[in-house]
Amino acid sequence: MTDESTNPMRDAIQSAISENPVILFMKGTPEAPACGFSARSVAMLQSLGTPFAAVDILPDPRIRQELSALSNWPTIPQLFVDGELIGGCDIVTEMYESGELQQALGLEPAAPEAAPEAAPAEAAPLTIENRL
Amino acid sequence: MSATPEELKTRIEAAIPGSRAEVSGDGHHFNAVVTAPAFSGLNRLAQHRLVYDVFGEEVGGRIHALAIKTHTTSEEA
């Protein structure tokens, strides 16, 4: 589409991923998720008590476009840990239940448990469009 | 035109050699359980990408959501 070297949207997404050890790209915000898959992913991260950055992809369709081009992953949410894509809601759920997510986040391994239902949150939302 | 579970199943099985797919869904949100020898040696992310790649940009568009569970053939044998 555009020349990668002059793609401020993609650069902003890439720096958000690099600068935040745990970052979730989602529909809506942790306080008001706009999609069940995003809500479940937020609930799992919150239940582990791990701080995470969240980016709402809904305000500008280019965020999702550029994110998917960058990550080679078509769906939302997308969880990144230490700059690496962990996966979407399915993979995050499987890893949460097996304890692999806790490991990836550098937390004490906990006994496997069922994924929690969505719950309210307090993580600060991050906006990509403000970074341009 | 909305997609059907049968269409998704046929396309996955045609695109991934030796795969078996069970797909359910309402025309927009789908669940696919896919078993294939091609998954062997790949991590979950790469396994799911193989399935998403069957549909390209249709995922997120015509196929609003596609939940995937993958198994290698040997795991199920």
Side-chain angles (χ1 to χ4, degrees), chain B residues 5-74:
Chain B
E6 293 70 33
E7 179 204 324
L8 269 62
K9 172 186 164 67
T10 307
R11 289 174 64 189
I12 292 169
E13 290 179 346
I16 304 177
S19 66
R20 280 182 294 119
E22 286 168 42
V23 182
S24 59
D26 61 6
H28 302 283
H29 297 76
F30 296 92
N31 274 289
V33 181
V34 186
T35 307
F39 294 150
S40 154
L42 300 179
N43 66 20
R44 261 194 220 103
L45 208 61
Q47 293 176 354
H48 286 221
R49 272 192 183 120
L50 277 184
V51 180
Y52 281 134
D53 283 349
V54 174
F55 304 104
E57 300 206 331
E58 289 169 75
V59 174
R62 180 170 167 263
I63 300 168
H64 177 77
L66 176 59
I68 298 173
K69 243 191 187 315
T70 49
H71 302 284
T72 66
T73 302
S74 55

Side-chain angles (χ1 to χ4, degrees), chain A residues 32-88:
Chain A
C35 159
F37 301 106
S38 290
R40 261 167 60 197
S41 304
V42 165
M44 285 185 273
L45 289 173
Q46 287 175 342
S47 85
L48 296 177
T50 195
F52 64 98
V55 174
D56 182 1
I57 61 114
L58 291 176
D60 185 335
R62 290 177 307 159
I63 302 175
R64 177 176 185 161
Q65 239 169 50
E66 294 302 331
L67 173 64
S68 288
L70 198 69
S71 62
N72 186 26
W73 193 258
T75 55
I76 302 295
Q78 296 185 23
L79 177 68
F80 290 79
V81 175
D82 295 330
E84 296 287 328
L85 176 65
I86 295 289

Side-chain angles (χ1 to χ4, degrees), chain A residues 80-129:
Chain A
F80 290 79
V81 175
D82 295 330
E84 296 287 328
L85 176 65
I86 295 289
C89 186
D90 302 334
I91 290 180
V92 171
T93 303
E94 273 186 53
M95 289 179 71
Y96 179 89
E97 288 172 353
S98 70
E100 290 164 89
L101 182 63
Q102 292 81 334
Q103 226 167 23
L105 292 167
L107 304 170
E108 288 296 306
E113 50 181 318
E117 293 302 314
E122 77 288 340
L126 223 164
T127 55
I128 285 288
E129 66 272 29

